[in-house]
Amino acid sequence: MGIDHTDYWRPEHPVQREVRAVLEDFTGAVLAQKVCAIDGCSVPTWAVPLESLAHGFAKFGTGHGLLPARASAAARLRQACAQKPWHVAGTDRFCTEIMQLFGARVFVKTGAEGVYCGALPQQGLGIAIKCDDGAGRAAQAIMAALIARFLPLDPAEHAALVPFMAPSLRNWNGFEVGAVRVTEAL
């Protein structure tokens, strides 16, 4: 952008104004200052309606509805994430493990407070989940169940996905103390 990056995290900085414009382009949502918070890295974090967020992830996954340069950038970013999923979320993280399993067929990313989003590019689908309790474990199980529902899987892929759809909860001693299960309504 050819600008000074000092204080790039401030909402009024040109970098953050561009980030906001890109989010509005992808989601179709108008991001007002009153729906902005600050994340752990100090950058602005925008509240986006779930339907708009899912639509944005579908656009990110397919490039449909984006200008050619932006669609190309999204495709490069998805390819980089598929090739090196560890850089998306790190070790022992749902995002990393799912993208290692499915490569470019699935893009998933955790958000804050029980939010999980994803794209199934070949199916043209975007997914946005918000669990009201703010925890990620149910959102991960739901995301895994949606992947199983909408992504064609061979038996080995399905078997690899099952532990994510129905994770056991263990205490500090390693004893199973409960489980997370997705309802039949899904």
Side-chain angles (χ1 to χ4, degrees), residues 39-132:
D39 82 353
C41 300
S42 299
V43 299
T45 303
W46 302 95
V48 178
L50 285 178
E51 184 176 329
S52 299
L53 198 51
H55 183 72
F57 270 81
K59 286 171 79 173
F60 175 73
T62 64
H64 297 274
L66 298 175
L67 294 173
R70 190 157 285 162
S72 177
R76 283 192 317 273
L77 183 55
R78 285 192 327 274
Q79 182 181 32
C81 293
Q83 289 176 353
K84 302 284 184 182
W86 182 88
H87 292 288
V88 174
T91 303
D92 295 327
R93 299 288 302 275
F94 178 81
C95 305
T96 304
E97 293 183 30
I98 291 297
M99 289 191 289
Q100 285 173 336
L101 280 171
F102 298 108
R105 295 170 54 207
V106 176
F107 177 86
V108 291
K109 183 67 178 106
T110 187
E113 302 302 322
V115 172
Y116 237 101
C117 296
L120 303 177
Q122 294 170 339
Q123 287 67 35
L125 296 175
I127 302 166
I129 300 163
K130 165 68 172 126
C131 289
D132 288 340

